[in-house]
Amino acid sequence: MGQGNVSIVRHYIADSMDLFEQALEKDEAAKPLAERMRPRRLEDFVGQEHVLGPGSALRRAIEADQVPSLILWGPPGTGKTTLARIVAERTGAVFVPFSAVLGGVKEIREIVEAARARRKLHRQRTILFVDEIHRFSRNQQDAFLPHVEAGTLTLIGATTENPSFEINAALLSRCRVVTLRPLTDEEVGTLLDRAVASPQGLGGRVRLAEDAREALARSAFGDARRALVALEASAAAAQLAGRAEIAFADAEEALQHKALNYDKAGEEHFNVVSAFIKSLRGSDPDAAVYYMVRMLEGGEEPRFILRRMVIFASEDVGNADPQALQVAVSALHAVELVGLPEGVLPMSQAAIYLSLAPKSNTAITAYAAARKLVQEFGPLPVPLKLRNAPTRLMESLGYGGGYRYPHNFEGHYVAEEYLPDAVRGSAIVKLSDSGRERELAERLARLRASLEPGDK
């Protein structure tokens, strides 16, 4: 081949490569923003510091290429698929995605055979990523067992459901469960900033107004994908209007609901929280649920609201209905289990229950009365009869002398005075006649009346 022909071939190859790269760039640009911004490196992964932070067990396993089979459990948009891809890339394994909805046992066998051949011929590992693994039948899950156990493939399953209930015990015992949390508003904000500036994202073609950024971050409820989808729609709206900045109205329209005026660090935050607590205390379930939803729609963290309900259950309901505290704590656990949006149901249930429960503030008034005595009299000596006597010397000094063990008496009770002498007879606990406390108050009155005059 002559020199001229060689030159022509080289130009042809170069032009072909340029066209190929341009085609790839067009394909990449056609992908949704959330897909374009998917991190490719562990260092770019945002959030989940509790499992991926420096020195964590999972991070060490990834860096040492000793990743076991995993079940990634967490709400949507917390990085389950992204983390699985990063693990495959970091460890040099072949990443094979598989849908528990569309695939079956036949496809699993084909994947296993390919993984076995890959391992034998190229000594290359296969990571099988199963999205929505909780949708697999028991038979499908069982099909994985021998191959996971033999190391033919590494299984990484993603689920939004509690693996304890949805994954069979045999498969679960061969996997490590990694719990992913919803992203914080700050972490979502970081992703938004990155998407606006990155060439793979919006490339700095538009700016993001601060109030729009806050609205997008807090309305994502910890879901990175949701935030990026809304950002992309907001940017499109701004560009169609000929503006170089995404405004609050653009974000509001993209979110398809009005972003409420609710400054979590300002006066409106405290106003709404105050109204919520006072509505619970005033036994108005309509207002209580209304203000709770105001906070949620404004981007308040569900845990903040639930913590307030747990406190309220003791401070304002107390032993008038001891079940109230269990309801509030159960709602907190339920939201941690299922996340949002489903978590609004146990939250609403708890708010209604607390609103309609009988009320008593005995817990806080008893604490205040006891604290006042402690501050006034200081560390009074404990009566000798209430002290333990582990040594002969302490016994000779009268420690434990005269103590009467209540279980040795009828009804498991004996009239006794337990307070220090200086505050003897102080009625710290003043029970109300509300709900269950009426019965407790009657019992307390009988017990106090049984004390002999000298003991009061």
Side-chain angles (χ1 to χ4, degrees):
M1 183 182 293
Q3 187 67 30
N5 290 335
V6 171
S7 179
I8 291 172
V9 170
R10 286 175 176 169
H11 282 298
Y12 175 77
I13 293 173
D15 290 343
S16 298
M17 291 298 294
D18 288 343
L19 291 172
F20 179 69
E21 290 173 358
Q22 290 172 14
L24 285 178
E25 289 177 1
K26 287 181 180 178
D27 288 344
E28 185 68 21
K31 292 180 181 179
L33 178 63
E35 182 62 30
R36 301 201 306 272
M37 291 307 301
R38 190 186 294 278
R40 268 58 173 181
R41 305 184 309 153
L42 192 60
E43 294 75 13
D44 296 330
F45 196 89
V46 175
Q48 314 308 335
E49 286 293 312
H50 63 294
V51 292
L52 288 174
S56 64
L58 180 57
R59 184 158 190 147
R60 291 200 307 270
I62 295 171
E63 291 172 344
D65 192 9
Q66 295 179 353
V67 180
S69 289
L70 304 171
I71 300 294
L72 305 179
W73 173 31
T78 50
K80 297 185 290 295
T81 303
T82 297
L83 180 56
R85 288 182 179 275
I86 289 175
V87 168
E89 178 68 25
R90 187 70 175 255
T91 59
V94 173
F95 182 83
V96 180
F98 186 81
S99 172
V101 177
L102 302 176
V105 174
K106 177 177 177 292
E107 288 79 9
I108 293 173
R109 291 197 188 102
E110 292 172 354
I111 290 170
V112 169
E113 286 305 315
R116 187 177 287 121
R118 195 177 293 120
R119 185 184 182 194
K120 182 178 180 180
L121 298 175
H122 307 291
R123 302 187 65 81
Q124 189 173 31
R125 290 197 304 133
T126 299
I127 287 182
L128 176 61
F129 176 70
V130 182
D131 197 15
E132 298 188 277
I133 193 171
H134 59 274
R135 294 183 181 272
F136 263 163
S137 67
R138 297 292 174 179
N139 289 337
Q140 288 172 312
Q141 292 184 31
D142 287 340
F144 284 125
L145 282 175
H147 312 298
V148 170
E149 202 161 40
T152 305
L153 51 79
T154 300
L155 171 67
I156 299 184
T159 179
T160 56
E161 305 295 331
N162 189 329
S164 301
F165 304 136
E166 304 296 337
I167 311 298
N168 73 42
L171 181 59
L172 196 60
S173 69
R174 290 160 176 80
C175 299
R176 176 182 169 186
V177 176
V178 177
T179 304
L180 304 184
R181 300 170 181 166
L183 274 63
T184 65
D185 289 359
E186 291 76 14
E187 290 166 346
V188 174
T190 298
L191 291 174
L192 292 171
D193 294 339
R194 182 183 295 176
V196 169
S198 171
Q200 286 75 40
L202 302 181
R205 294 185 297 275
V206 292
R207 298 183 302 275
L208 181 59
E210 186 61 31
D211 54 355
R213 180 183 184 275
E214 290 178 6
L216 291 170
R218 68 173 182 243
S219 297
F221 298 112
D223 185 332
R225 187 184 304 108
R226 180 176 178 176
L228 292 172
V229 168
L231 173 64
E232 189 169 28
S234 302
Q239 289 175 325
L240 285 172
R243 287 182 279 102
E245 181 175 78
I246 299 172
F248 180 81
D250 300 319
E252 198 172 61
E253 182 179 348
L255 293 166
Q256 297 184 343
H257 72 270
K258 186 174 179 60
L260 299 179
N261 176 21
Y262 181 77
D263 180 0
K264 289 197 288 183
E267 179 183 352
E268 190 64 10
H269 162 79
F270 296 104
N271 290 341
V272 178
V273 172
S274 176
F276 175 60
I277 296 300
K278 288 180 171 65
S279 299
L280 292 174
R281 186 178 295 136
S283 301
D284 186 340
D286 299 309
V289 173
Y290 166 79
Y291 287 116
M292 184 192 77
V293 173
R294 276 273 300 272
M295 287 187 280
L296 287 173
E297 290 294 308
E300 185 59 78
E301 290 288 338
R303 283 179 62 85
F304 170 80
I305 302 170
L306 287 158
R307 284 196 297 266
R308 296 301 307 172
M309 286 199 271
V310 171
I311 295 167
F312 179 90
S314 286
E315 180 179 349
D316 287 278
V317 178
N319 288 319
D321 183 357
Q323 183 71 19
L325 182 57
Q326 296 181 38
V327 169
V329 172
S330 294
L332 175 60
H333 290 164
V335 173
E336 289 177 341
L337 177 66
V338 303
L340 293 178
E342 293 87 349
V344 301
L345 301 178
M347 292 183 72
S348 298
Q349 178 184 348
I352 294 167
Y353 189 97
L354 294 176
S355 296
L356 297 176
K359 304 298 189 294
S360 169
N361 67 343
T362 300
I364 192 169
T365 57
Y367 170 80
R371 188 167 185 265
K372 182 179 179 182
L373 288 177
V374 170
Q375 290 179 332
E376 182 178 350
F377 291 93
L380 293 170
V382 174
L384 288 176
K385 62 186 175 185
L386 301 182
R387 303 184 191 186
N388 288 328
T391 68
R392 288 185 179 181
L393 173 61
M394 297 170 83
E395 186 176 352
S396 69
L397 293 174
Y399 283 36
Y403 173 68
R404 293 178 291 177
Y405 186 56
H407 295 296
N408 290 338
F409 295 83
E410 183 179 354
H412 303 271
Y413 173 75
V414 60
E416 187 64 271
E417 176 62 63
Y418 295 94
L419 284 170
D421 291 343
V423 292
R424 175 175 291 195
S426 298
I428 294 172
V429 176
K430 297 180 181 179
L431 294 163
S432 71
D433 62 354
S434 177
R436 176 86 169 85
E437 271 200 8
R438 180 193 294 271
E439 301 172 35
L440 298 177
E442 292 171 354
R443 173 171 167 75
L444 180 59
R446 291 195 299 270
L447 295 177
R448 283 174 175 167
S450 69
L451 288 171
E452 297 178 5
D455 292 330
K456 293 184 179 178

